[in-house]
Amino acid sequence: MRASRLLSILTILQARGRVTATELAGECEVSLRTIYRDVDALSAAGIPVYSERGSEGGYRLLDGYRTRLNGLSAKEAAALFMTGLSGPAADLGLGTAMVAAQNKLLAAMPAQFRSGAEQMRERFHLDAPAWFAQAEQPVHLPLVAEAVWEQRPLRMRYRSWKAERHRTVEPLGLVLKSGAWYLVGQVDRDARTYRISRILELAVLDRRFERPAAFDLESYWRAGTQRLEADLRRNVATIRLSPWGVRMLEAFLSPFVRAATRIESEADAAGWRTAVMPVGSVWEACVELLRFGAEVEVLEPPELRAKMAEIAVGMSTIYRR
């Protein structure tokens, strides 16, 4: 365990340059005291690791020092082929490059690991879009990806759900979510999200911008999705669910709503259970709950119950004709 951790610390330092002890502890999932001991062990073994004090300090390797670490484990070698997502790579214009890189990696692997890597590619496939949905293939995606890589601003005509606007955006990153590509860009030092399929016109400007050093794409996206879920469901509804309705929760509700839904442990005489779940507007709640059919009854709020009853009467009238 310790030998593997020492190699991890060495590869992190070699890849990133300066790294703090706190960051190393987080990466290796150990305490700061353990990191201090490990760095001392690396120094004692002749690895030129030194520390820099101050707010911008941390550990780093002596400039110019490199080490060759080719000892991939069988699982690590196989995991590398799980990152080769052929569809998204092709959308970005990198399909050929990805295949070439995989072939080079396969050729460089020890013979005993090649079969495992090939099996990983043969037996696992990622299908990013949700069921009954098709992946988007935005025409401007390769150009946007190039601008992200080269840190060049974009001037675009964008169609939001409200109106069309012209924007100059400093592209910070790309996100693939449920088959749709999104651009995270900076406008007046404020990070915003744009769906690339809604870009109507695009031009890459002939200048570079300075990427914010503190910006982390994964953290921004995770916080944004959590905030969006919470904003869209500011209200709560009290409902009754049949035994079948309880089982349908997993299929019909998002992970956010399922996690926030509180279901009573005891069922009534008919086997139905009461639950409290977050919902959006009355109409949005109706759309979500109508999927349960007769397996759900709304108890509160009164306006939601009345709207569900109104819709049920209307549907009954239609089907009785």
Side-chain angles (χ1 to χ4, degrees):
M1 289 290 290
R2 191 187 189 199
S4 175
R5 191 171 65 247
L6 291 175
L7 286 176
S8 295
I9 292 173
L10 186 52
T11 53
I12 291 170
L13 291 172
Q14 184 169 292
R16 302 185 192 174
R18 183 173 55 247
V19 186
T20 67
T22 302
E23 290 170 337
L24 287 173
E27 292 275 354
C28 299
E29 298 182 348
V30 295
S31 66
L32 283 173
R33 187 184 298 273
T34 300
I35 291 298
Y36 296 147
R37 287 199 299 263
D38 288 346
V39 171
D40 288 342
L42 287 173
S43 298
I47 305 297
V49 183
Y50 66 95
S51 61
E52 295 178 339
R53 298 184 179 276
S55 59
E56 299 296 325
Y59 292 114
R60 63 181 302 156
L61 295 172
L62 184 68
D63 290 343
Y65 177 83
R66 304 289 294 175
T67 182
R68 295 179 61 84
L69 298 173
N70 297 323
L72 289 174
S73 69
K75 287 186 176 180
E76 290 169 343
L80 287 175
F81 278 81
M82 284 293 286
T83 63
L85 311 180
S86 57
D91 291 344
L92 292 168
L94 300 173
T96 303
M98 187 203 71
V99 172
Q102 284 188 339
N103 290 334
K104 290 177 181 178
L105 178 61
L106 197 62
M109 282 181 180
Q112 65 268 30
F113 293 162
R114 292 178 189 170
S115 60
E118 284 285 10
Q119 288 176 359
M120 185 67 74
R121 183 160 57 180
E122 291 170 357
R123 301 181 187 186
F124 292 88
H125 172 67
L126 174 64
D127 185 11
W131 283 105
F132 314 114
Q134 291 184 338
E136 295 179 348
Q137 295 181 323
V139 295
H140 297 298
L141 179 58
L143 200 59
V144 173
E146 183 179 346
V148 169
W149 185 255
E150 297 183 355
Q151 294 181 215
R152 297 190 182 277
L154 296 168
R155 181 179 293 123
M156 62 186 189
R157 182 165 65 92
Y158 183 80
R159 183 185 68 247
S160 69
W161 64 277
K162 290 183 178 180
E164 289 186 12
R165 290 188 174 88
H166 287 82
R167 284 275 189 267
T168 298
V169 180
E170 295 176 344
L172 302 177
L174 293 174
V175 175
L176 177 61
K177 173 71 171 179
S178 301
W181 284 97
Y182 294 88
L183 165 68
V184 177
Q186 183 174 249
V187 178
D188 298 328
R189 298 185 178 181
D190 181 32
R192 304 180 186 181
T193 303
Y194 302 91
R195 191 163 180 160
I196 296 180
S197 62
R198 293 178 180 170
I199 297 177
L200 305 178
E201 295 179 1
L202 185 72
V204 180
L205 303 185
D206 191 20
R207 58 181 173 86
R208 295 173 63 87
F209 67 92
E210 190 68 26
R211 182 183 174 85
F215 180 77
D216 181 84
L217 180 61
E218 181 180 356
S219 299
Y220 165 83
W221 186 262
R222 182 170 56 250
T225 53
Q226 292 172 349
R227 186 169 57 250
L228 177 62
E229 288 271 20
D231 287 345
L232 292 177
R233 292 177 171 84
R234 294 177 176 271
N235 306 310
V236 294
T238 303
I239 59 176
R240 288 179 69 240
L241 291 162
S242 70
W244 181 244
V246 173
R247 291 195 290 271
M248 293 164 71
L249 287 175
E250 184 172 356
F252 289 163
L253 300 183
S254 70
F256 173 85
V257 178
R258 287 203 307 270
T261 298
R262 303 188 305 276
I263 306 175
E264 288 188 359
S265 57
E266 294 185 5
D268 61 19
W272 286 53
R273 295 164 68 183
T274 302
V276 177
M277 63 177 287
V279 295
S281 66
V282 169
W283 178 248
E284 289 168 341
C286 287
V287 171
E288 194 160 40
L289 292 171
L290 283 170
R291 291 182 292 177
F292 290 83
E295 309 302 323
V296 66
E297 178 190 1
V298 174
L299 302 178
E300 294 178 348
E303 58 270 24
L304 176 57
R305 181 179 175 89
K307 190 64 177 179
M308 289 285 286
E310 178 186 335
I311 294 173
V313 170
M315 293 179 66
S316 176
T317 301
I318 291 174
Y319 287 106
R320 283 180 177 174
R321 291 174 185 170

